[in-house]
Each structure stands twice: as C-alpha cells, then as structure tokens.
C-alpha cells in the first residue's frame, strides 16, 4: 500500500515540477525525509522519554541497511 500511495502521489503531482523526474531521485528525497523524521523522534524521546529512545534508534539502523548494501558493506 505504501508503494501504491507513493506511486499515485508522484504521478498526480509530477506535472507541477515539485518532484524530480527520475524515480531514484524521488526515492532519495523520501528516504531523506524519513531519516530526518527518525532523528527528530530520537531527539524527542531523549528529551521526554529516554527509556523509549531504542525504538527510533532501531528505525535509523534499519534505514541505514540499504545504504550499507549499496556501498558494498
């Protein structure tokens, strides 16, 4: 469902020029947004519920797995 939603969104908004033409560039921007949100969650949990910080830290680690695979690690 996530991929379908993203595909439909990009197809609908593409004529506006707000998203890159290349699918890989769109994915890169989406990944960057998700990573930024995860870092925000880390800051929030450290400030408010430090015992919960492992959840967003795990999410960041999971997000980094594709980057490590692409780098050949």
């Amino acid at each position: 469902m996530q991929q379908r939603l993203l595909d439909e969104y990009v197809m609908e908004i593409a004529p506006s020029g707000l998203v890159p033409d290349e699918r890989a560039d769109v994915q890169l921007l989406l990944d960057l947004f998700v990573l930024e949100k995860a870092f925000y969650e880390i800051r929030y949990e450290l400030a408010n519920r430090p015992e919960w910080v492992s959840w967003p830290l795990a999410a960041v680690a999971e997000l980094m797995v594709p980057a490590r695979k692409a780098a050949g690690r």
Side-chain angles (χ1 to χ4, degrees), residues 1-69:
M1 281 310 282
Q2 180 184 15
Q3 191 61 51
R4 174 78 189 267
L5 175 66
L6 181 60
D7 291 343
E8 293 293 325
Y9 178 80
V10 169
M11 187 171 59
E12 190 68 31
I13 199 169
S16 72
L18 295 174
V19 295
D21 293 331
E22 296 295 323
R23 178 64 184 189
D25 293 337
V26 171
Q27 188 63 53
L28 183 63
L29 287 174
L30 180 62
D31 292 346
L32 179 62
F33 173 76
V34 171
L35 189 58
E36 189 275 332
K37 178 66 174 161
F39 284 133
Y40 167 84
E41 292 297 328
I42 290 169
R43 288 190 312 267
Y44 178 86
E45 298 304 352
L46 283 172
N48 297 289
R49 298 179 293 215
E51 65 278 3
W52 289 17
V53 77
S54 63
W55 294 356
L57 284 173
V60 168
E62 187 176 318
L63 289 169
M64 294 288 103
V65 170
R68 280 183 270 173
K69 285 181 183 176

